[in-house]
């Protein structure tokens, strides 16, 4: 048994967990504030956790424990209940490994209970005390980006236990819809822009999107996500139909764009530890997408869309080879097998 902690912010952590669990040869139990997804590959193997961030924000005290943790508010009943529930599950299930995607506190709890830990590595500045502790105690770090585009400045001890899977998504290997007869990307008029805004929050205002539309009359814009965009549980057809995708630099959005091999304009958003800015720098180094450090001015959009369209999307194969979820599942299964003590079920 492997435990897989899924952070509830945004949709990327859950999508990644579902994809990895579907490839894993070992039963996987999800642990999350989120409800069990209908398509969880191991039905019934899900622990629903109480929230640890509800209540009056002004009443939350010393959430970082003096800078040693990321989120551990003093006296919060939900935090206490969720940690106790995780501990009871570990005691009852005796998992061979716990995957944290991502919580320093959950990784630390599991390791204190004698359970080996894998941690989802994140780009950006991760040398603060909590991240350093989690990465140091982990038996395995899973990096969902290619080894050819490493994150600069990482300690050698972290690199030694990192498996670079490349980006992966639920769409890897899915056939693209057939184009309409007689139509090609270059012959289509007007050309199509798909604007993907994440469910974890957006720095882009509706007015800025409206101005970009007005400045690009030869392009037809569709928005998914954000406060004014539509929502699709399966945006694959929309992705494949786009001549250019405009998106932020979140891991999940980029992985889905890469799976469709679509040209992209990437605008990183403000995130803790500079994660999206670091991802954007990697995309620039790899010449994978047109990157704008902030939301462009209206008059900049025609040239940016043309530049992305001319670049195309073939280089996304470097970012997302297509087998990343399988590599991640294999790495977790091997770490669980290697960690099993003598006499433990599944041990050699």
């Amino acid at each position: 048994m492997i435990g897989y902690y899924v952070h509830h912010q945004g949709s990327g952590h859950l999508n990644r967990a579902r994809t990895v669990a579907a490839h894993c040869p070992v039963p996987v139990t999800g642990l999350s504030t989120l409800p069990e997804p209908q398509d969880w590959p191991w039905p019934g193997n899900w622990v629903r956790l109480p929230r640890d961030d509800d209540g009056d924000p002004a009443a939350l005290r010393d959430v970082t424990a003096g800078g040693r943790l990321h989120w551990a508010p003093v006296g919060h009943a939900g935090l206490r209940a969720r940690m106790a529930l995780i501990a009871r599950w570990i005691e009852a299930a005796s998992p061979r490994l716990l995957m944290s995607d991502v919580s320093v506190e959950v990784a630390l709890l599991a390791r204190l209970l004698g359970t080996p830990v894998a941690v989802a590595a994140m780009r950006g500045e991760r040398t603060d005390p909590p991240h350093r502790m989690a990465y140091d105690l982990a038996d395995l770090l899973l990096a969902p980006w290619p080894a050819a585009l490493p994150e600069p400045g990482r300690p050698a001890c972290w690199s030694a236990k990192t498996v670079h899977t490349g980006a992966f998504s639920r769409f890897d290997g899915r056939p693209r819809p057939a184009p309409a007869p007689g139509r090609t990307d270059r012959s289509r008029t007007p050309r199509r822009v798909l604007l993907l805004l994440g469910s974890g929050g957006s720095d882009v205002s509706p007015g800025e999107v409206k101005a970009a539309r007005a400045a690009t009359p030869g392009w037809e814009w569709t928005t998914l996500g954000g406060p004014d965009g539509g929502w699709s549980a399966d945006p694959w057809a929309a992705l494949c139909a786009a001549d250019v995708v405009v998106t932020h630099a979140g891991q999940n959005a980029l992985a889905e764009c890469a799976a469709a091999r679509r040209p992209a304009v990437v605008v990183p958003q403000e995130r803790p530890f500079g994660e999206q800015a670091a991802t954007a720098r990697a995309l620039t180094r790899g010449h994978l997408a047109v990157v704008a450090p902030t939301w462009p001015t209206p008059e900049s959009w025609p040239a940016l869309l043309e530049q992305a369209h001319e670049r195309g999307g073939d280089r996304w194969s470097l970012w997302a080879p297509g087998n990343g979820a399988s590599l991640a599942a294999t790495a977790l299964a091997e770490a669980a097998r290697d960690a099993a003590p003598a006499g433990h079920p599944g041990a050699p």
Side-chain angles (χ1 to χ4, degrees), residues 43-64:
N45 286 7
W46 193 269
V47 179
R48 184 79 181 271
L49 302 175
R51 295 193 70 93
D52 63 352
D53 58 355
D54 54 353
D56 181 6
L60 300 177
R61 296 189 295 117
D62 192 17
V63 298
T64 67

Side-chain angles (χ1 to χ4, degrees), residues 2 8 13 33 61 67 99 127-128 138 183 204 212 241 258 272 274 278 285 314 326 346:
I2 291 174
H8 60 271
H13 302 288
T33 305
R61 296 189 295 117
M99 170 67 184
T127 56
D128 59 291
R183 301 296 295 272
V204 183
R285 293 198 305 272
D314 290 345
S326 177

